[in-house]
Amino acid sequence: MKHQITIKDIAVKLGLSTSTVSRALKDHPDISPKTRVAVKELASLLGYRPNRIALNLRNNSTRTIGLIIPEIEHYFFSAIINGIEEVAYKNDYSVMVFQSNESYKREVINTQAVLTNRVDGVLVSFSKETRDFSHFQRLIDNEIPVVFFDRVTEELQADQVVADDYQGAFIAVNHLIEKGCKRIAHFAAPQSLAIGRSRLSGYHDALLKHDIAYNPALVVLADTFDSSKKAAHDILRNADRPDGFFAVNDMSAIAIIKAAVELGLKVPQDVKVVGFENSKSSALIEPELTSVDQFGFELGREACLQLLRRLKEDEDISEFKPVKKVIKTKLVVRGST
Amino acid sequence: MKHQITIKDIAVKLGLSTSTVSRALKDHPDISPKTRVAVKELASLLGYRPNRIALNLRNNSTRTIGLIIPEIEHYFFSAIINGIEEVAYKNDYSVMVFQSNESYKREVINTQAVLTNRVDGVLVSFSKETRDFSHFQRLIDNEIPVVFFDRVTEELQADQVVADDYQGAFIAVNHLIEKGCKRIAHFAAPQSLAIGRSRLSGYHDALLKHDIAYNPALVVLADTFDSSKKAAHDILRNADRPDGFFAVNDMSAIAIIKAAVELGLKVPQDVKVVGFENSKSSALIEPELTSVDQFGFELGREACLQLLRRLKEDEDISEFKPVKKVIKTKLVVRGST
DNA sequence: CGAAATATTTCAACCGATTGCAGTAATTTA
DNA sequence: TAAATTACTGCAATCGGTTGAAATATTTCG
């Protein structure tokens, strides 16, 4: 990088001290109008921009937010990043992105990276592998505000922003029942994730409400396209195949539709399918997918706003009360049900 | 943030000077083994981590890359970010993400943001609105290496990494012709973008090769789902409707398929469609979409690698020779042709 | 044993900007 | 005209770490 114009350059050229220049630039009342004008003119002439790093050092703040996320290349997460960046931008913060790629080990390294980069706060959605949270505890111990979103844990004293997974699952399954489904399967996420548990629980309670017995055989661990396609093939070949599916995400739901079509079944006549996410893809497939919108953009916004709130607070850690923000979900009904 | 352990804390506790501690931590030969061990032990006991910001200030480098991108919430770009983050991570760089949201004005602000954040280098794919490039020239004037990817311009002396748009378009249209299409429409991106021009040109030349006259009426500006769906409806209602479509991206292609289906046309029997991107969605729709894979992840990797190369160089700006890296594309044939 | 050589540690300046306090100049007041 | 205000401006320390040069401690050797 070229030599950047510093306050000293301006000071030397005008025969002033750096302190005077500094004060002139920020309209300090002590500085005479003449000096102030001269300094400002020269500053803009030279294209002076304050060195943020020097300020960072002095203020012990970087106006930077660290974002640790499983994978960017996934509609839901990219929508979240979009929301986060939007709020950060409006509040003059920058966002540093770190992917864990669903790897616990890499996630630990990511937490070290946000520490070295001295970000002011961190937004986290942890990996599927993560069971131990001490690397996040380390951030909290350093009094770096951490807000978890989507993938959260009760094991840490930290803010959470999540979609209302339980409610979303409940309305989805309720919808299937109202559409006449009697035998509803659930393709679930790992039960180590709260979203996995909440969605299963919503599924369970919606069945109960309609006096349908909960049948563990109809709950399958399958949250990717490939695993879901395979599982759907298997389960749909049974004589007593399900007439409805509630999938933990859209990819899984789409895989189910594809499997059903491949087996000569008609969607929604023979099998109805509901996804979770309301991704762009849900409107593209045929039939279009009924899905629970979990408002990723909103979720990102809220998570970032909550973090900014923490950053503004006088952090009296002894009085810390974690906040849990739940974003209501909404069923978007389309052709698959 | 809590008080972070500094070199001074260690120095005071051991009755040493900060210089000794600093040297001990980096195995400087001047330091006696006894001191070195003592310092290192205390450092790890206290959980000392060097303050990156102080180093940034001194070294005038942040080991941070700025990324300016139209929108994160788009498969192609998120794949690129993925590739970039991957390379940055392996080389111990961090990535700061700035969205332009396809807005020129915001893009200008983004370039200022990367300047204030004193990133070491910048990766850019500019907005559809951008006609004037002086904000990027400002970065270059500051001797901050800039690498453009996907959306590039010849107006600036800067490195470029692009997919082989011409070749991709050519093989796509060639494929349509070989499949029997006689009347091929092209849904194009704005001609202000190089990708728009290159893909049109590939389309044009593939027609020529097969002695099919180029018909301007078959070239439509439509690069979003909605605009493409509308345009496809219009053009497919004509008596002399096209029997093949080459769309500038997958969203556009999918919209065409949807429109065709809505009009009672069969894909690929009545109309064949090729997209560009090979996004996740292309394999989800029915029929699955034939598409030109532009390897977003690779493109991101290469762009970041090129930037890192520049960062390593002794930047003798007078001898700067821009590099243009072209990533070969590949046609992925599926059910839509 | 004392000087020279070597080993180890400290001093002080620096990176760029901020800010409390001291200092100087200009103006007002007695 | 001298003293007291007031208006400006500069000094120096600070943020945390690095590094050339100087200082001190320890060894080595004649």
Side-chain angles (χ1 to χ4, degrees):
Chain A
M1 209 192 321
K2 199 172 67 172
H3 167 76
Q4 300 288 95
I5 303 297
T6 70
I7 236 173
K8 196 172 163 189
D9 298 320
I10 298 175
V12 170
K13 288 213 175 154
L14 293 178
L16 292 169
S17 70
T18 59
S19 11
T20 302
V21 174
S22 170
R23 281 190 261 253
L25 286 171
K26 46 176 47 181
D27 296 321
H28 192 289
D30 276 3
I31 303 302
S32 71
K34 205 177 60 183
T35 309
R36 174 158 28 89
V37 170
V39 167
K40 286 194 169 181
E41 273 180 1
L42 185 59
S44 83
L45 181 70
L46 298 177
Y48 166 78
R49 345 187 86 252
N51 187 327
R52 177 84 145 244
I53 302 177
L55 295 177
N56 289 347
L57 179 60
R58 179 161 237 279
N59 304 335
N60 201 28
S61 147
T62 53
R63 285 199 90 76
T64 298
I65 290 168
L67 171 62
I68 300 177
I69 205 161
E71 41 184 10
I72 296 164
E73 209 173 317
H74 187 300
Y75 175 75
F76 178 57
F77 285 124
S78 63
I80 288 176
I81 302 180
N82 191 358
I84 290 170
E85 208 271 336
E86 198 58 41
V87 172
Y89 170 79
K90 288 203 179 121
N91 291 275
D92 197 26
Y93 273 82
S94 302
V95 180
M96 268 192 188
V97 179
F98 302 88
Q99 289 195 94
S100 67
N101 278 328
E102 301 285 10
S103 147
Y104 166 72
K105 213 172 127 198
R106 175 135 172 203
E107 188 175 272
V108 172
I109 296 172
N110 288 159
T111 60
Q112 291 163 358
V114 299
L115 269 178
T116 23
N117 280 291
R118 290 293 207 275
V119 299
D120 290 352
V122 183
L123 294 168
V124 177
S125 190
F126 49 76
S127 87
K128 284 183 192 169
E129 281 183 18
T130 305
R131 301 282 179 282
D132 176 87
F133 300 101
S134 49
H135 50 311
F136 297 126
Q137 185 59 50
R138 214 171 305 135
L139 297 181
I140 297 170
D141 290 345
N142 277 296
E143 290 177 26
I144 296 174
V146 181
V147 175
F148 289 86
F149 60 90
D150 190 52
R151 311 232 186 122
V152 302
T153 173
E154 301 296 335
E155 283 188 31
L156 297 168
Q157 284 281 307
D159 295 331
Q160 306 179 0
V161 179
V162 291
D164 194 336
D165 294 302
Y166 174 86
Q167 174 237 11
F170 190 93
I171 55 175
V173 176
N174 194 61
H175 169 74
L176 285 170
I177 297 170
E178 286 176 352
K179 285 284 178 177
C181 295
K182 303 275 183 236
R183 201 174 154 72
I184 301 171
H186 174 39
F187 278 21
Q191 294 301 297
S192 56
L193 297 177
I195 59 160
R197 296 192 296 273
S198 303
R199 292 180 195 178
L200 175 59
S201 161
Y203 160 83
H204 176 269
D205 290 2
L207 295 181
L208 274 202
K209 181 189 154 202
H210 293 272
D211 296 318
I212 301 179
Y214 171 78
N215 179 355
L218 291 175
V219 176
V220 182
L221 176 68
D223 62 344
T224 63
F225 185 86
D226 291 338
S227 63
S228 299
K229 187 136 178 221
K230 193 171 169 310
H233 259 110
D234 291 346
I235 202 168
L236 283 170
R237 261 196 282 265
N238 289 339
D240 55 349
R241 61 171 164 75
D243 54 3
F245 284 87
F246 166 54
V248 75
N249 61 46
D250 279 0
M251 274 300 142
S252 176
I254 292 170
I256 294 167
I257 293 181
K258 287 233 150 195
V261 170
E262 282 170 20
L263 292 170
L265 298 167
K266 287 219 179 321
V267 181
Q269 292 81 349
D270 302 327
V271 178
K272 302 192 201 316
V273 182
V274 179
F276 208 118
E277 180 170 332
N278 196 32
S279 61
K280 284 267 156 63
S281 303
S282 54
L284 302 178
I285 57 157
E286 205 41 56
E288 294 186 3
L289 180 67
T290 294
S291 185
V292 178
D293 195 331
Q294 54 182 336
F295 301 106
F297 183 83
E298 273 308 307
L299 208 147
R301 275 178 48 84
E302 287 298 333
C304 196
L305 284 171
Q306 178 58 29
L307 182 60
L308 293 183
R309 248 173 260 135
R310 290 293 183 196
L311 291 178
K312 255 179 232 135
E313 276 176 12
D314 289 330
E315 329 146 16
D316 183 351
I317 201 154
S318 58
E319 298 191 2
F320 184 83
K321 283 260 180 300
V323 168
K324 177 162 189 168
K325 170 111 193 172
V326 178
I327 313 276
K328 284 279 170 248
T329 54
K330 190 182 142 211
L331 186 71
V332 179
V333 179
R334 298 199 185 82
S336 69
T337 57
Chain B
M1 209 192 316
K2 199 170 69 173
H3 167 75
Q4 299 288 93
I5 303 298
T6 71
I7 236 173
K8 196 171 163 192
D9 297 322
I10 298 175
V12 170
K13 287 213 176 153
L14 292 177
L16 291 169
S17 71
T18 59
S19 13
T20 302
V21 173
S22 171
R23 289 189 171 103
L25 286 170
K26 45 178 46 180
D27 294 323
H28 192 288
D30 275 3
I31 303 301
S32 70
K34 204 176 62 182
T35 309
R36 175 158 29 89
V37 170
V39 166
K40 287 194 168 181
E41 272 181 0
L42 186 58
S44 84
L45 181 70
L46 298 177
Y48 166 78
R49 347 187 86 248
N51 186 330
R52 177 84 147 241
I53 302 179
L55 295 178
N56 289 347
L57 180 59
R58 178 160 238 278
N59 304 335
N60 202 27
S61 146
T62 53
R63 285 198 91 77
T64 297
I65 290 169
L67 171 61
I68 300 179
I69 203 161
E71 43 185 7
I72 295 165
E73 209 172 318
H74 187 303
Y75 175 75
F76 178 57
F77 285 124
S78 63
I80 288 177
I81 302 180
N82 193 358
I84 290 170
E85 207 272 335
E86 198 58 41
V87 172
Y89 169 78
K90 287 201 179 123
N91 290 275
D92 196 26
Y93 273 82
S94 301
V95 180
M96 267 193 191
V97 179
F98 302 88
Q99 290 194 95
S100 67
N101 278 328
E102 301 285 11
S103 148
Y104 166 73
K105 211 172 130 199
R106 176 137 170 200
E107 190 176 89
V108 172
I109 296 172
N110 288 158
T111 59
Q112 291 163 358
V114 297
L115 269 178
T116 24
N117 279 292
R118 290 292 207 274
V119 299
D120 290 352
V122 182
L123 294 168
V124 176
S125 189
F126 49 75
S127 86
K128 285 184 194 170
E129 282 183 14
T130 306
R131 301 281 178 281
D132 176 86
F133 299 101
S134 49
H135 51 309
F136 297 126
Q137 186 58 49
R138 213 170 307 135
L139 297 180
I140 297 171
D141 290 345
N142 276 296
E143 289 177 28
I144 297 174
V146 180
V147 175
F148 289 86
F149 61 90
D150 189 51
R151 312 232 187 122
V152 302
T153 173
E154 300 297 334
E155 285 189 31
L156 297 169
Q157 285 281 306
D159 295 331
Q160 306 179 357
V161 179
V162 290
D164 194 338
D165 294 302
Y166 174 86
Q167 173 237 12
F170 190 93
I171 54 175
V173 175
N174 194 59
H175 169 74
L176 284 170
I177 297 170
E178 285 176 352
K179 285 284 180 177
C181 295
K182 303 277 182 233
R183 201 174 155 73
I184 301 171
H186 174 39
F187 278 23
Q191 294 301 296
S192 56
L193 297 178
I195 59 162
R197 295 192 298 273
S198 304
R199 293 180 194 178
L200 175 58
S201 159
Y203 160 81
H204 176 270
D205 290 2
L207 294 181
L208 274 201
K209 184 189 152 201
H210 292 273
D211 296 319
I212 300 179
Y214 171 78
N215 179 354
L218 291 175
V219 176
V220 181
L221 176 67
D223 63 344
T224 63
F225 185 84
D226 292 337
S227 63
S228 299
K229 187 137 179 217
K230 192 170 169 312
H233 258 109
D234 292 346
I235 203 169
L236 282 172
R237 259 195 283 265
N238 290 339
D240 55 348
R241 59 171 167 73
D243 54 2
F245 284 86
F246 166 54
V248 74
N249 60 46
D250 279 0
M251 274 301 144
S252 176
I254 291 170
I256 294 167
I257 293 182
K258 286 234 152 196
V261 170
E262 283 171 19
L263 293 169
L265 298 167
K266 288 219 179 319
V267 181
Q269 293 82 347
D270 303 327
V271 179
K272 302 193 203 313
V273 182
V274 180
F276 207 119
E277 179 170 331
N278 196 30
S279 61
K280 284 265 156 64
S281 304
S282 54
L284 301 178
I285 57 156
E286 206 39 55
E288 294 186 5
L289 180 68
T290 296
S291 186
V292 178
D293 196 332
Q294 55 182 335
F295 301 106
F297 183 84
E298 274 308 308
L299 209 147
R301 275 178 49 85
E302 287 298 332
C304 196
L305 284 171
Q306 178 57 30
L307 182 61
L308 293 183
R309 248 172 260 134
R310 290 292 183 195
L311 292 178
K312 255 179 231 136
E313 277 175 11
D314 290 330
E315 328 147 16
D316 184 352
I317 202 153
S318 58
E319 298 191 4
F320 183 83
K321 283 262 181 299
V323 168
K324 176 161 187 168
K325 170 111 193 172
V326 177
I327 313 278
K328 284 278 169 250
T329 54
K330 191 183 141 212
L331 185 70
V332 180
V333 178
R334 297 200 184 83
S336 69
T337 58

